[in-house]
Amino acid sequence: QVQLVESGGGLVQAGDSLRLSCVASGFTLDDYAFAWFRQAPGKERDGIVCMNRDGTTWYADSVKDRFSISRDNAKSTVYLQMNSLKVEDTAVYYCVAKRNYCTIPYDYGGQGTQVIVSS
């Protein structure tokens, strides 16, 4: 059974850091690209970061130089390191996977983890 399970969200203050984890099961991470999306209250779900199968990455301007995606295939886990968090980073964060490259539609997605950043 294919699953993506996110964790690591929580309530933090502006300026703090968080690391989100996305544990994958039921498929081989080596063959997949991973991305993180987020959805703030009343807004659409937006892609913010991607790591393709070949290791190339893309970051949205809103998170560039603050967020970092990484993966540990041996642990079947993808991480999102979030530094210098801002109130506007408050959202539910979702992990998604697609074979080879970050393209829509994605093959698999998780249920999300809530991040709340207070001022």
Side-chain angles (χ1 to χ4, degrees):
Q1 180 183 0
V2 172
Q3 270 193 316
L4 292 175
V5 180
E6 303 96 334
S7 64
L11 173 62
V12 297
Q13 291 189 324
D16 286 350
S17 297
L18 272 179
R19 189 177 76 161
L20 306 184
S21 299
C22 171
V23 179
S25 59
F27 64 100
T28 304
L29 263 68
D30 305 49
D31 298 334
Y32 281 77
F34 287 85
W36 288 89
F37 281 68
R38 68 184 181 185
Q39 187 167 19
K43 296 189 177 181
E44 295 185 351
R45 190 174 300 189
D46 292 323
I48 57 170
V49 60
C50 156
M51 176 177 279
N52 292 309
R53 177 184 178 185
D54 61 5
T56 56
T57 56
W58 167 86
Y59 293 89
D61 288 342
S62 59
V63 304
K64 198 173 295 183
D65 300 325
R66 299 188 298 122
F67 290 12
S68 177
I69 188 172
S70 62
R71 60 196 291 167
D72 185 336
N73 289 346
K75 294 184 178 181
S76 297
T77 302
V78 177
Y79 301 99
L80 180 65
Q81 178 67 43
M82 306 188 296
N83 300 327
S84 302
L85 282 162
K86 303 176 180 180
V87 172
E88 51 263 43
D89 294 319
T90 295
V92 178
Y93 285 71
Y94 299 91
C95 173
V96 296
K98 175 82 173 187
R99 189 177 284 272
N100 295 324
Y101 294 100
C102 296
T103 55
I104 296 172
Y106 284 84
D107 295 329
Y108 310 118
Q111 293 301 306
T113 186
Q114 175 77 58
V115 173
I116 300 173
V117 184
S118 64
S119 57

